[in-house]
Amino acid sequence: MADVRPIIGMGALGEIISDKTELAKGAALFDGKQLTHLSRYENRLFADAAGSGATPYKVSLVFGEARSDVKGRCSCMAARSRPFCKHAAALLVAWARAPQAFVTAEAAPVAPAGTGGAKKSVKKGKAETGELMKAGVAQVSTLVRELGLSGVASLGAERPEQVRALGEALRANGLRRLSARAVELAGLLDAAAARTGTFEAPVYTDLVADMLLTARKVEKHLGGDALEPRHVEELIGRTWTKKDRTPVTGLTLVEYAFSSRVTPDRFLVRESRFVDLVSGGHYSEKQILPASLKTVEPKKSRAGFVLQGAVGGQYPGFAPHRLDLESWTGGTPVDRASLERLVEVALPDVGAVMAAFQEHRKDVFAPDLLPVAVRVETLLASGARSQFVDGAGRGLFLPVDASLEEPLAGALEDAKLLAVLGDVGLEAALPTLFPTALVVRTPEGLDLRPLGRSEDAPVSPRRRGRVRAPVTPNALPRSGWAEAARAAGASRAAIALAEVRDELADAFASGLSAVGPRAVEPLVARLQELGLEKPGALLDALARRPDLVERLDDFIKVYQVLGIALVRLSGAVQVETSALESVPTHPSIRVHRSEEVLSPGEAMVRRARGELTRYESAAHAARYYARLGADALTRDYYPAWSDGAASAFVARTVAARGEAALDAVRDALAEHHSRMVRRTAIRVLGAMGGVQARRELDAMTRKGHDAGLRLFAKETLEDVHARETGEAAVAELLKRRRERAVPLVQAALSETTKEERGAAVGRLAELGSAAMPALRQVLHGDPSREVRREAAEALARMGDAEVIDRFVQLVQGRSHDDTEAKHAVYALGMLGDVRGAEALLVAFADGWKPGVVAEAMRTLGLALLQPALNLAETRPEVLERQALRGLFEKFNPAALAKELLARVEASRESTDLVDRAAVYLKVAAQNAAVGKQVAARLLALPSVADDKALSKLAKKLL
């Protein structure tokens, strides 16, 4: 058929739509921006049109052979009685006036009833496309020149919005990369115009430099200098037909990540990320559809299977290379052999990652991120930035991102780290690995553990570190690479170069007039000291040019060259591994060794103040419990047995006593103890093994016990049987559990409706520990609050102590999200972990939902006693609340008396003994027998006996 080209002019449109009134209405709708989600597929156009109701109308056009052969369809009532309603007329006007605003979809929405016609190709007007691109490039060049001359200090309030509008127009004109950069730049200019303290000069200069270089590249392309296909995809994008794709065969693919996200222009992108077990290359499979489209079969996750002999077409572009998968054979579950092969094809060490990343950064038009798989042995979790460390002690930084903490902790619990998969990019001056999945070795074998995140994409690699305070009221605040590099322990040369680059960025943000001879003289000298004579000479020369416009291109060149040099200098950091110690529950996580030993309570306080990481806090707790010795750990359940972070350590220590520990275990299994205490007891039995342990575990699997603990006991009993039978039985048990989980994992991660994903989560919760990694991934990454909540409740029932931090944070942030906090309270009660007690107590003391919190606290039992007394000591005013005083009435009198008397003894020499004594007496007064014992002990202390008010209160209790 003849090409379908944009029709320009109202007269030409009148050949198709004879009703001039309807055509005028359509033009008005288009001018009023009443059309959204403009897309095209083959010979059809689609859009949503705003109507009088809440739901938009679905409108489409179908093009035939002749130019006038166009059929309009719409879901509005008017379309039933006329060839073209005003919405269809508006869509035709949009195609005539702004063809580049239409995004090509990979499948068509279901058109309104009656739409037909053969499949044809709707083609762009090539001349119009080129002219629109040229116009966009010219606008970007003008913007960069204006910003270079004026800087950002004198920005008007309207400027950011103008840049944002430019970004949207660039997208419509096919300038993909320039559009993204302009939108990002608009956000920075918002901060600059508002002087909010969040403007970052290095980020600003990076963006402006990238926009200028991209504009120059596209300008040459439009002048006849053809782009490489991979640069076409990165810079401007295009629709690649099957003949444009490179045939690939013989791939053996394993999916290590799956994401589903909606782009700013309302397109739904579902993506699988793969690694090829043959070459080690990284690939992706994407489905891109209008977000409003509900009828196309969604792309599913391929997690858990090896796609053998995969065949398809590879799109042009950078890694991860996009594939159109056509076929594969096998589809066997991911097993030990495939994961061993994955580790084998991964980069051997951090040095190899740095070499690959430096090569990647040499291409200034390459994406910000480079996908990698690399063998590492340790996660160093001390200081502001954690690091993955290889066998030679070379570290690669992780981003400063609190949302990574829980997924990493869950993935590395009782596991040895073998490899990490993710994306390398720049954050501050530091090459940073944004992890996506880990390969670990567990007692059951090798495992691939994705790291589900609330955000599908990595944290922006453009973030540069902490914002510095402005030095004067009108100054623009700055932040830079050097500060972050220094804090992270980068080399002196990298810090020096980062400082030079920061100063250049600050000057550029003030305008090129600030890049003068006097300003650059010390910078040139420092560059010479670093062996960068050529960039230094170019900087000196450009600063001497009187015409500011002539400084721009060379400034950008110097800035980019220094950026490449900085990547080279700020490579892997050497870690002194002999000064590290492992976290007992996470053998591959290590922290800097500390000489002092803090109690779990003291460690938590310091962690709350930001002085310790969660793992440093766990290491202190482990040393504290280790010093108590096996006898004390066997005798005293609280807090050790109720501390989820110490549970595995306690189980190993107590189990070493053999059958001598059975009486303690049987007592700990009593229902008046918290669920975490009983879970620890089951762990002890699992570590012990033998006939008696199996009998106790079998009894726990019977009805009458908590469902979550029954499941844990059943699984532990299976583990004991398999371990005592031999390695083959252990391997078979692991295989069976994985095979049961794989289809449910896929459904939980990739079904399109929250109801289907929620149902999969519910069934996963019945599978035990094999389902925990997937449930954590759902908890951290599912877009539905309801599904995340179901995963959270399932993990709490299963006793997953690795997610407690999330629940504590939600309770602490109860003023921001009341509903989420309430569900977190239920989860903390279900876990029965002593580490959640303080958050519950504070909420209770503050009078927040006392009924809900009280119900959760009851399940903690005696685990609540020590935290409750700690709260009373630090915040005596809470005892004025009858609800909190009444809490102490419910504790076992003997246990309450024992704890209070121990605290009296420990406080004898304290300078604040009188204040503490007042607290102890108020607490003891809740039980007559306890009151007599505590009062008698306190009156024996001279400082208490001499205090008239205290002695009077104590004598009342006798």
Side-chain angles (χ1 to χ4, degrees), residues 914 917-918 921 938-939 941-957:
V914 172
L921 287 172
L938 284 171
L939 285 172
L941 302 177
S943 57
V944 175
D946 293 341
D947 187 288
K948 292 183 179 180
L950 276 182
S951 60
K952 181 179 180 181
L953 179 59
K955 289 174 182 177
K956 282 185 178 180
L957 298 180

Short mmCIF file of all heavy atoms in Angstrom, two decimals, residues 914 917-918 921 938-939 941-957:
data_model
loop_
_atom_site.label_atom_id
_atom_site.label_comp_id
_atom_site.label_asym_id
_atom_site.label_seq_id
_atom_site.Cartn_x
_atom_site.Cartn_y
_atom_site.Cartn_z
N VAL A 914 18.79 7.55 93.59
CA VAL A 914 17.50 7.99 94.13
C VAL A 914 16.44 8.03 93.04
O VAL A 914 15.30 7.58 93.24
CB VAL A 914 17.66 9.37 94.80
CG1 VAL A 914 16.29 9.94 95.19
CG2 VAL A 914 18.55 9.26 96.04
N ALA A 917 15.58 4.49 92.15
CA ALA A 917 14.81 3.85 93.22
C ALA A 917 13.33 4.23 93.15
O ALA A 917 12.44 3.40 93.39
CB ALA A 917 15.40 4.24 94.57
N ALA A 918 13.05 5.49 92.78
CA ALA A 918 11.66 5.93 92.66
C ALA A 918 10.94 5.14 91.57
O ALA A 918 9.77 4.75 91.73
CB ALA A 918 11.63 7.43 92.35
N LEU A 921 10.31 1.47 92.80
CA LEU A 921 9.21 1.38 93.77
C LEU A 921 7.85 1.52 93.08
O LEU A 921 6.90 0.80 93.44
CB LEU A 921 9.37 2.47 94.83
CG LEU A 921 10.50 2.23 95.85
CD1 LEU A 921 10.69 3.45 96.72
CD2 LEU A 921 10.18 1.00 96.72
N LEU A 938 15.72 -1.73 99.11
CA LEU A 938 16.06 -0.32 98.93
C LEU A 938 16.25 0.40 100.26
O LEU A 938 17.13 1.26 100.39
CB LEU A 938 14.96 0.37 98.10
CG LEU A 938 14.97 0.08 96.59
CD1 LEU A 938 13.72 0.64 95.92
CD2 LEU A 938 16.22 0.68 95.95
N LEU A 939 15.44 0.06 101.25
CA LEU A 939 15.58 0.73 102.56
C LEU A 939 16.90 0.38 103.23
O LEU A 939 17.35 1.09 104.14
CB LEU A 939 14.40 0.36 103.47
CG LEU A 939 13.08 1.05 103.13
CD1 LEU A 939 11.94 0.48 103.96
CD2 LEU A 939 13.20 2.56 103.36
N LEU A 941 19.62 0.64 101.79
CA LEU A 941 20.62 1.53 101.20
C LEU A 941 20.49 2.90 101.85
O LEU A 941 19.42 3.51 101.85
CB LEU A 941 20.40 1.64 99.69
CG LEU A 941 20.44 0.31 98.90
CD1 LEU A 941 20.13 0.57 97.43
CD2 LEU A 941 21.79 -0.35 99.06
N PRO A 942 21.56 3.44 102.44
CA PRO A 942 21.50 4.71 103.18
C PRO A 942 20.91 5.86 102.38
O PRO A 942 20.10 6.64 102.90
CB PRO A 942 22.97 4.98 103.54
CG PRO A 942 23.59 3.63 103.55
CD PRO A 942 22.89 2.85 102.49
N SER A 943 21.28 6.01 101.11
CA SER A 943 20.81 7.16 100.34
C SER A 943 19.30 7.11 100.12
O SER A 943 18.65 8.15 100.03
CB SER A 943 21.53 7.22 98.99
OG SER A 943 21.34 6.02 98.27
N VAL A 944 18.73 5.92 100.07
CA VAL A 944 17.29 5.78 99.93
C VAL A 944 16.61 6.01 101.28
O VAL A 944 15.60 6.72 101.38
CB VAL A 944 16.91 4.41 99.35
CG1 VAL A 944 15.40 4.23 99.32
CG2 VAL A 944 17.50 4.24 97.96
N ALA A 945 17.18 5.40 102.34
CA ALA A 945 16.59 5.54 103.68
C ALA A 945 16.59 6.99 104.14
O ALA A 945 15.69 7.42 104.87
CB ALA A 945 17.35 4.67 104.67
N ASP A 946 17.60 7.78 103.69
CA ASP A 946 17.70 9.18 104.12
C ASP A 946 16.76 10.11 103.33
O ASP A 946 16.59 11.27 103.70
CB ASP A 946 19.13 9.68 103.96
CG ASP A 946 20.08 8.98 104.93
OD1 ASP A 946 19.57 8.41 105.92
OD2 ASP A 946 21.30 9.00 104.69
N ASP A 947 16.21 9.61 102.23
CA ASP A 947 15.29 10.42 101.43
C ASP A 947 13.87 10.24 101.98
O ASP A 947 13.32 9.14 101.92
CB ASP A 947 15.36 10.00 99.96
CG ASP A 947 14.57 10.93 99.05
OD1 ASP A 947 13.34 10.88 99.10
OD2 ASP A 947 15.21 11.68 98.29
N LYS A 948 13.30 11.30 102.54
CA LYS A 948 12.03 11.18 103.24
C LYS A 948 10.91 10.67 102.34
O LYS A 948 10.14 9.78 102.73
CB LYS A 948 11.64 12.53 103.82
CG LYS A 948 12.54 13.00 104.96
CD LYS A 948 12.06 14.31 105.52
CE LYS A 948 12.97 14.75 106.68
NZ LYS A 948 12.53 16.05 107.25
N ALA A 949 10.81 11.23 101.13
CA ALA A 949 9.72 10.82 100.24
C ALA A 949 9.85 9.36 99.83
O ALA A 949 8.88 8.60 99.84
CB ALA A 949 9.70 11.72 99.01
N LEU A 950 11.09 8.95 99.49
CA LEU A 950 11.30 7.57 99.06
C LEU A 950 11.09 6.58 100.20
O LEU A 950 10.48 5.53 100.03
CB LEU A 950 12.70 7.41 98.49
CG LEU A 950 12.91 7.78 97.01
CD1 LEU A 950 14.34 7.51 96.59
CD2 LEU A 950 11.96 7.00 96.11
N SER A 951 11.63 6.91 101.35
CA SER A 951 11.50 5.99 102.48
C SER A 951 10.04 5.83 102.88
O SER A 951 9.59 4.73 103.25
CB SER A 951 12.34 6.47 103.67
OG SER A 951 11.90 7.75 104.10
N LYS A 952 9.28 6.93 102.79
CA LYS A 952 7.85 6.86 103.11
C LYS A 952 7.13 5.93 102.15
O LYS A 952 6.29 5.10 102.55
CB LYS A 952 7.26 8.27 103.07
CG LYS A 952 5.78 8.32 103.42
CD LYS A 952 5.28 9.76 103.38
CE LYS A 952 3.78 9.80 103.73
NZ LYS A 952 3.26 11.20 103.68
N LEU A 953 7.44 6.08 100.84
CA LEU A 953 6.82 5.23 99.83
C LEU A 953 7.21 3.77 100.03
O LEU A 953 6.36 2.87 99.91
CB LEU A 953 7.24 5.71 98.44
CG LEU A 953 6.70 4.90 97.24
CD1 LEU A 953 5.18 4.89 97.23
CD2 LEU A 953 7.24 5.47 95.93
N ALA A 954 8.50 3.53 100.35
CA ALA A 954 8.96 2.16 100.53
C ALA A 954 8.29 1.50 101.74
O ALA A 954 7.91 0.33 101.69
CB ALA A 954 10.47 2.15 100.69
N LYS A 955 8.14 2.25 102.81
CA LYS A 955 7.53 1.68 104.03
C LYS A 955 6.07 1.32 103.80
O LYS A 955 5.55 0.39 104.42
CB LYS A 955 7.67 2.68 105.17
CG LYS A 955 9.10 2.82 105.67
CD LYS A 955 9.24 3.92 106.70
CE LYS A 955 10.69 4.08 107.16
NZ LYS A 955 10.89 5.20 108.11
N LYS A 956 5.40 2.05 102.89
CA LYS A 956 4.00 1.70 102.58
C LYS A 956 3.89 0.33 101.93
O LYS A 956 2.87 -0.34 102.05
CB LYS A 956 3.42 2.75 101.62
CG LYS A 956 3.01 4.05 102.28
CD LYS A 956 2.34 4.95 101.25
CE LYS A 956 1.89 6.25 101.89
NZ LYS A 956 1.22 7.14 100.90
N LEU A 957 4.97 -0.07 101.22
CA LEU A 957 4.93 -1.35 100.51
C LEU A 957 5.29 -2.53 101.40
O LEU A 957 5.10 -3.69 101.01
CB LEU A 957 5.88 -1.30 99.32
CG LEU A 957 5.55 -0.26 98.24
CD1 LEU A 957 6.58 -0.33 97.12
CD2 LEU A 957 4.16 -0.46 97.68
#
